[in-house]
Amino acid sequence: MSFQVFGIAVSRGVAIGRAVLVASSRVDVAHYFVLPSDIQPEIDRLLRARDAVVQELEVLKTELPEDAPHELAALLDVHLMLLHDEAFTGGATQWIVDRHYNAEWALSAQLEVLARQFDEMEDEYLRERKADLEQVVERVLRALALEQGTVPQPATPRDFAGEDPLLLVAADIAPADMIQFKRSVFRGFITDIGGKTSHTAIVARSMDIPAVVGTREASRLIMQDDWVIIDGDAGIVIVNPSPIVLEEYRFRQRQSELERARLGRLRHTPAVTMDGEPIELHANIEMPADAEAAIAAGATGVGLFRSEFLFMNRDGELPSEEEQFEAYKAAVQAMKGMPVTIRTVDVGADKPLDRLTVNELRHEHVLNPAMGLRAIRWSLAEPSMFRQQLRAIYRASAFGKVKLLIPMVAHLAEVRQILETVRKVQQQLTDAGHAYTRVELGVMIEIPAAAVMLPLLLRHVDFVSIGTNDLIQYTLAIDRADEAVAHLYDPWHPAVLHLIARSIAEARAAGKGVSVCGEMAGDPVFSELLLAMGLRSFSMHPSQIPAVKQRILRADAQRLAQALPAILASDDPQTTAGQELGAGRTAGAALH
């Protein structure tokens, strides 16, 4: 039966494929294909892990003390029974044979199938056995992890031209898990929770794959292996579509691919407005390897290197200075002399670490983590970690143009403390004989207080970067990761537009660099408005550069600027912008 699930559109385009249901706690389980020649070895690996767990449980059972509760032995018997059940190992084996899934993926897929069956049982005792099944799976996954030396060489989707595309369905995907997701085989994803600018959505756009979040019920309604269409433009998920609907979306998919190829031809075209204003189009990246995509998209630099992703998925260990240095150096060298702006670690809120040295960063310890000890507040509270990161960044400056960006600044006292720390770091590097060059220092404008006091901040920094995602969140008092209030997240709100316009104007008047690195910079809908405000430096996900460049090439910056007062004075800026900027764009195009 075909049905639709509605959510929030966060990444445009159409994806068609089979659903892969993954529990949130197992998103980071390895997902890759195995070659036909590796199918039997992969099955053997799964069975060895199963047998290891069986042996472990049998030993536990024999070692139970005489006074142990009877329930403990009974529980171990249940786990042993599940491990020997053909529906468990036989079903997982079938995923390996039929779909070429690796053992961990096959095990997780079979778990989702069996868990759904347990949920539908009428007997309460049998329904509760789902928890036992999950515990057994976790044990087998741990056993598989101990066999890392026997893992076969992963295959890619290209090795299976006839295989169906795969779409991930989960309750949620944590930012740390998204690192694994970026290297995976999935062509799109659907989550129950999240908002348009949650970090899950941001990474989806950076990968240029369709995604719908905030569906609430998708992971419960969609079954493993269902055929699914993700309409990333409308925020609709169509499950088991009819042949007619499927063909319509396949046509839209082909049209989207043609449009992407057409925009790709603009890669080497300089971003210059019709009236001759040169525009910088920089890229936002999360890992050094992302620099390759930035170059391929025609970026003129990296406007935001989110260094916090180097700190995630590390089993609680922070990266060393040397490891960070090598990562920053790799990104700087990959950009071949173009500027690389590295933001110091921005953790907390929707990006917690798996191990935190300060308890307040944990969601369970803070009522509102978005307002807590995060970003620069955490860095200043952990001076040793902060100095270590700064040393790595400054050392990387010897290999190219590096700029340092500090997130979530709200107080002059913070700026003074940062400057003092930078001086100490420079002295440490000099004493140790490490080379470094001048690094421009900038702060992010993402708290209204910073926007209001910007003239004071500009006396102490070289540039500012406006993070529109958090600026909107804090201005409107909205948790941008909460789908319950996602409809109130409004980049067109007059207060937001006034803060952005004022920040750009004040930075330019002071002769300081200003850029926008939030989601507004990569949304073509806002390109003309930001140009009208005087913005000349945009930073966005590499995949968004071609569409924004097309808008810039068709724009007349002077004519757009003439429309700005009417937009800022309007009680409906979005409608006024559509009328005023559209007219200016048409007039500019007519002159050329």
Side-chain angles (χ1 to χ4, degrees):
M1 182 186 72
S2 179
F3 62 91
Q4 295 182 353
V5 179
F6 298 90
I8 301 168
V10 297
S11 187
R12 296 170 182 171
V14 172
I16 303 170
R18 290 192 180 275
V20 175
L21 269 70
V22 179
S24 297
S25 61
R26 284 177 291 276
V27 171
D28 59 351
V29 167
H31 293 82
Y32 59 85
F33 296 115
V34 295
L35 293 167
S37 59
D38 287 322
I39 286 177
Q40 189 56 51
E42 194 69 0
I43 293 173
D44 294 340
R45 193 166 76 92
L46 173 66
L47 295 179
R48 282 197 304 272
R50 189 272 314 266
D51 292 343
V53 174
V54 167
Q55 184 177 3
E56 177 187 349
L57 294 180
E58 287 177 341
V59 170
L60 285 174
K61 188 177 177 183
T62 60
E63 292 179 350
L64 282 176
E66 292 183 4
D67 59 347
H70 172 71
E71 289 80 7
L72 278 179
L75 179 63
L76 291 174
D77 284 336
V78 169
H79 285 199
L80 287 166
M81 179 188 69
L82 289 169
L83 285 164
H84 288 296
D85 193 320
E86 180 60 23
F88 179 66
T89 51
T93 298
Q94 208 61 41
W95 287 109
I96 299 174
V97 173
D98 293 344
R99 301 298 291 277
H100 297 178
Y101 287 1
N102 64 297
E104 291 87 350
W105 186 358
L107 197 61
S108 297
Q110 188 62 12
L111 169 61
E112 298 302 331
V113 171
L114 295 176
R116 189 68 60 91
Q117 294 176 9
F118 275 99
D119 286 338
E120 293 172 354
M121 292 177 178
E122 294 184 4
D123 187 277
E124 183 179 356
Y125 174 80
L126 292 177
R127 279 202 310 272
E128 291 177 353
R129 299 285 67 76
K130 184 177 82 167
D132 296 314
L133 177 66
E134 290 174 337
Q135 291 170 17
V136 166
V137 168
E138 294 298 335
R139 282 183 175 273
V140 179
L141 287 173
R142 283 198 297 270
L144 284 166
L146 295 175
E147 271 203 290
Q148 286 301 314
T150 65
V151 175
Q153 182 65 31
T156 68
R158 290 188 295 276
D159 295 312
F160 307 98
E163 293 291 325
D164 300 324
L166 302 174
L167 310 178
L168 182 119
V169 183
D172 190 21
I173 307 175
D177 293 332
M178 289 299 292
I179 299 175
Q180 305 292 338
F181 184 83
K182 288 182 73 170
R183 305 178 186 130
S184 73
V185 298
F186 300 114
R187 307 285 183 85
F189 69 83
I190 304 157
T191 63
D192 293 347
I193 65 176
K196 194 172 182 66
T197 57
S198 63
H199 210 81
T200 305
I202 292 171
V203 175
R205 284 190 285 274
S206 75
M207 296 168 64
D208 196 23
I209 60 172
V212 174
V213 303
T215 59
R216 295 176 182 267
E217 296 288 323
S219 68
R220 187 180 65 84
L221 298 174
I222 299 173
M223 304 287 284
Q224 194 81 262
D225 232 30
D226 275 348
W227 272 102
V228 173
I229 296 172
I230 297 178
D231 185 339
D233 298 302
I236 298 173
V237 176
I238 305 172
V239 184
N240 296 321
S242 67
I244 294 176
V245 171
L246 189 61
E247 185 53 39
E248 177 188 344
Y249 273 94
R250 288 197 190 282
F251 174 76
R252 285 180 54 183
Q253 199 174 37
R254 290 192 294 270
Q255 292 296 106
S256 177
E257 289 169 357
L258 288 172
E259 174 65 12
R260 187 178 288 109
R262 186 180 67 80
L263 288 175
R265 292 197 290 268
L266 297 175
R267 173 189 170 188
H268 297 296
T269 303
V272 180
T273 64
M274 298 182 75
D275 56 332
E277 286 279 350
I279 307 298
E280 293 179 338
L281 293 182
H282 292 171
N284 296 345
I285 68 172
E286 279 129 18
M287 301 295 283
D290 297 339
E292 183 179 340
I295 294 288
T300 53
V302 170
L304 177 62
F305 182 158
R306 296 185 175 99
S307 68
E308 55 270 14
F309 282 86
L310 298 175
F311 289 68
M312 295 178 176
N313 286 351
R314 303 180 55 87
D315 295 325
E317 295 298 321
L318 297 178
S320 66
E321 177 183 329
E322 200 63 30
E323 184 180 346
Q324 290 187 66
F325 162 64
E326 291 295 338
Y328 305 143
K329 173 185 170 184
V332 170
Q333 290 181 321
M335 294 308 295
K336 298 176 170 49
M338 291 183 281
V340 176
T341 302
I342 303 172
R343 182 176 69 185
T344 57
V345 61
D346 183 9
V347 293
D350 63 340
K351 292 174 288 184
L353 297 184
D354 44 8
R355 162 202 169 271
L356 299 167
T357 54
V358 181
N359 283 339
E360 280 191 77
L361 267 176
R362 287 190 179 276
H363 283 245
E364 63 265 30
H365 292 163
V366 189
L367 292 176
N368 191 342
M371 300 287 189
L373 191 64
R374 54 168 296 201
I376 188 57
R377 299 172 181 177
W378 182 56
S379 294
L380 293 176
E382 296 286 341
S384 177
M385 182 283 301
F386 189 39
R387 288 193 299 270
Q388 185 180 71
Q389 181 173 34
L390 291 179
R391 284 195 299 269
I393 292 172
Y394 268 81
R395 287 172 61 190
S397 72
F399 298 87
K401 186 175 181 181
V402 172
K403 301 168 76 173
L404 176 65
L405 182 60
I406 309 296
M408 208 177 174
V409 168
H411 303 273
L412 276 177
E414 292 170 333
V415 176
R416 294 190 182 100
Q417 198 172 347
I418 292 163
L419 291 171
E420 179 59 29
T421 305
V422 165
R423 282 191 287 269
K424 289 180 180 177
V425 163
Q426 290 174 327
Q427 187 60 53
Q428 289 174 346
L429 292 176
T430 300
D431 294 343
H434 289 300
Y436 66 92
T437 61
R438 182 179 183 274
V439 174
E440 291 187 17
L441 174 66
V443 295
M444 290 195 71
I445 304 302
E446 48 192 344
I447 297 177
V452 172
M453 64 180 288
L454 185 55
L456 297 177
L457 291 174
L458 289 170
R459 298 175 189 171
H460 303 276
V461 299
D462 301 301
F463 70 98
V464 295
S465 187
I466 303 172
T468 54
N469 305 344
D470 273 336
L471 183 61
I472 296 168
Q473 171 176 251
Y474 292 129
T475 301
L476 303 182
I478 292 169
D479 182 351
R480 59 190 175 99
D482 185 352
E483 74 276 7
V485 293
H487 63 288
L488 298 174
Y489 184 93
D490 182 13
W492 287 103
H493 192 288
V496 171
L497 297 185
H498 277 273
L499 286 174
I500 295 172
R502 176 175 162 180
S503 297
I504 293 171
E506 289 177 345
R508 294 190 61 175
K512 300 296 178 74
V514 55
S515 67
V516 170
C517 63
E519 288 299 295
M520 284 177 69
D523 189 340
V525 171
F526 293 99
S527 298
E528 285 99 344
L529 178 61
L530 292 173
L531 286 172
M533 291 178 176
L535 188 70
R536 299 296 181 261
S537 181
F538 297 65
S539 189
M540 66 203 73
H541 304 299
S543 63
Q544 297 170 317
I545 289 176
V548 172
K549 182 182 286 188
Q550 183 184 59
R551 287 290 186 111
I552 288 169
L553 293 172
R554 296 175 176 178
D556 185 315
Q558 292 184 14
R559 288 181 175 273
L560 292 174
Q562 294 171 9
L564 184 62
I567 297 169
L568 295 180
S570 174
D571 57 1
D572 184 3
Q574 187 170 6
T575 300
T576 304
Q579 297 167 346
E580 297 288 334
L581 299 180
R585 183 168 61 247
T586 303
L591 289 174
H592 291 75

